[in-house]
Amino acid sequence: AGSDDPPCGGSVRLLLNLPPPASEAHLLQRQQGQCAGCRAPLQPTARRQSIFLSSLGLKGSGPSGPKRCEYTGQLYCARCCEGSTAVIPARVLHEWDFKRYPVSSLAAEYLASIYDQPMLCVAAVNPGLSARVALLARVHDTRVRACKALRLAQSQGGAGAASAERLLKAAG
């Protein structure tokens, strides 16, 4: 596994980049034919089954084949990937995409635990996103104004503090 690959086994960390596209065969080779969660042997999805699922518009593999976690980009067995879905932070940060995607059970648990945590500065990870998303630009502008008001309040005392408080309430 490469140095950017998420670890195999029982831990998950915050990933801010989308996993690169890779074929099932490539992932099986990179993972030495093992589930990224429990290291159980994985069998490739049968070609006919894969074609059938694709014709139905379904992604991934059937119950006997490995399942790709859209968060880690790795393959998991049916026990470690039981149909959980989650919003992928990297998709939000890079594509402003809040859809839920299939993830491993471990990734689903981790992502649920951090869902409401303000952990990232969007402007630091993807500075161009606020130019494409009006809501982010508005939030950024409100924050800049709030910081200016707070500095003003610190320098002027009582009257400036009331003005800063009003602006902060408006920012939500």
Side-chain angles (χ1 to χ4, degrees):
S3 62
D4 291 337
D5 290 340
C8 287
S11 67
V12 178
R13 60 187 164 88
L14 183 61
L15 303 173
L16 301 181
N17 293 312
L18 295 169
S23 69
E24 182 180 282
H26 177 76
L27 291 173
L28 282 169
Q29 180 182 20
R30 191 167 70 193
Q31 293 176 214
Q32 300 173 349
Q34 298 176 337
C35 169
C38 67
R39 301 221 183 248
L42 296 173
Q43 297 299 318
T45 303
R47 177 86 174 122
R48 183 178 305 222
Q49 180 183 15
S50 179
I51 292 169
F52 173 70
L53 289 171
S54 293
S55 72
L56 295 175
L58 300 174
K59 206 173 171 185
S61 64
S64 62
K67 299 177 187 316
R68 179 183 161 108
C69 172
E70 294 297 323
Y71 179 65
T72 65
Q74 296 175 308
L75 296 177
Y76 292 83
C77 68
R79 283 179 307 201
C80 292
C81 198
E82 300 175 318
S84 299
T85 62
V87 174
I88 309 294
R91 288 190 182 275
V92 173
L93 291 169
H94 296 286
E95 301 170 0
W96 203 243
D97 177 358
F98 287 86
K99 288 185 259 179
R100 298 179 69 80
Y101 289 88
V103 295
S104 69
S105 301
L106 189 61
E109 186 178 315
Y110 171 71
L111 292 170
S113 76
I114 66 165
Y115 186 78
D116 290 329
Q117 303 292 322
M119 302 173 72
L120 303 168
C121 175
V122 175
V125 177
N126 186 356
L129 191 59
S130 64
R132 296 189 332 242
V133 179
L135 176 62
L136 284 179
R138 202 165 62 233
V139 167
H140 175 73
D141 181 56
T142 302
R143 284 184 165 186
V144 168
R145 290 186 326 193
C147 288
K148 287 178 183 178
L150 285 173
R151 281 195 294 274
L152 180 65
Q154 289 172 338
S155 69
Q156 293 183 352
S163 174
E165 186 144 343
R166 281 195 307 276
L167 185 56
L168 287 174
K169 283 183 181 179

